[in-house]
Amino acid sequence: MKIGILSLQGDFKAHAWMLRRLGVDPVEVRQAKQLSSVAGLILPGGESTTMLNLIERENLHGPLIEFSTRFPVLGTCAGAILMAVEVRSPAQRSLRLIDMTIERNAYGRQIESSIRRVEPEDNFIQRTVAGPIEAAFIRAPKIRRIGEKVTVLAAYDDAPILVEQGHLMAATFHPELSNEQRIHTLFLNKIQQEP
Ligand code: GLN
């Protein structure tokens, strides 16, 4: 099974390392044609404005949206910002994949960059294993609103930090930068469950 990682900017190497650790071949995706060889896609952390500009420059906007209708996509931090239907502070265009409103850099100094241990929801534990999530936040966005089709898998400080909508998943933290393997494992399970 091959999994793509959007590799225009950001911490795509960390995701590749995590996938290899889980026994999966990562494919660095920089052009639309590379999407045809992968069964799922990761949008990494980084700087969402830069990533968006590069997506548009490489004419990837339409192909990424089209891919997401057919295959699982996981976005972490900046990747989650790209997936939100609405982006605030400042407002910014996005791929509009998950029905949520997300505010950039919204935690301020309190958790600007830190690792928190967060107790996940039961619906996460039931599908993986129990134990707190090691959530690495780096200038993290905050999910301010979620639509009816969005499920919360973990929340911190009254805001969702890990959500799913069908075969789409988004985390406002960086599982790829810690020892937390369950988010990637859940994502790989989704890919295996696809028809
Ligand atoms: N603050 C970044 C943004 O708004 C996201 C930070 C990250 O991915 N670690 O794009």
Side-chain angles (χ1 to χ4, degrees):
M1 180 166 62
K2 285 188 176 168
I3 308 297
I5 307 170
L6 187 67
S7 303
L8 300 171
Q9 191 270 340
D11 73 341
F12 52 91
K13 296 271 183 214
H15 277 287
W17 183 79
M18 178 66 86
L19 290 181
R20 276 194 210 99
R21 198 161 129 181
L22 296 171
V24 171
D25 275 344
V27 176
E28 293 187 358
V29 172
R30 294 190 178 84
Q31 294 170 339
K33 64 179 184 212
Q34 293 165 318
L35 289 170
S36 59
S37 65
V38 298
L41 182 71
I42 295 177
L43 306 176
E47 217 290 315
S48 58
T49 312
T50 309
M51 237 183 264
L52 194 63
N53 288 338
L54 293 170
I55 285 171
E56 287 170 359
R57 196 184 75 187
E58 300 299 323
N59 292 318
L60 273 161
H61 198 103
L64 289 175
I65 294 172
E66 209 268 327
F67 182 88
S68 74
T69 63
R70 295 186 293 136
F71 299 99
V73 178
L74 165 67
T76 62
C77 204
I81 296 171
L82 291 178
M83 293 178 86
V85 157
E86 188 188 5
V87 181
R88 289 192 191 155
S89 119
Q92 160 171 293
R93 298 178 312 283
S94 65
L95 299 172
R96 300 177 58 84
L97 308 182
I98 296 184
D99 186 12
M100 61 180 177
T101 300
I102 203 161
E103 187 180 329
R104 297 173 64 195
N105 306 314
Y107 286 97
R109 294 226 164 143
Q110 175 205 5
I111 61 163
E112 175 137 343
S113 291
S114 67
I115 295 184
R116 303 279 152 145
R117 289 167 78 80
V118 179
E119 209 48 62
E121 303 292 326
D122 288 347
N123 56 11
F124 178 81
I125 292 169
Q126 280 152 12
R127 289 149 65 196
T128 54
V129 279
I133 292 178
E134 205 177 297
F137 291 102
I138 303 172
R139 291 172 54 77
K142 196 170 203 170
I143 297 172
R144 294 288 190 190
R145 177 199 66 84
I146 52 167
E148 274 172 21
K149 289 187 190 139
V150 179
T151 306
V152 178
L153 301 178
Y156 172 76
D157 201 15
D158 291 333
I161 61 165
L162 178 63
V163 295
E164 71 179 345
Q165 177 186 297
H167 61 205
L168 307 174
M169 285 176 78
T172 59
F173 55 99
H174 291 271
E176 72 280 15
L177 296 180
S178 72
N179 276 321
E180 181 53 70
Q181 296 186 11
R182 289 170 294 171
I183 285 92
H184 287 79
T185 302
L186 204 62
F187 177 61
L188 297 178
N189 290 347
K190 273 188 192 297
I191 294 166
Q192 272 150 358
Q193 283 156 16
E194 288 288 296

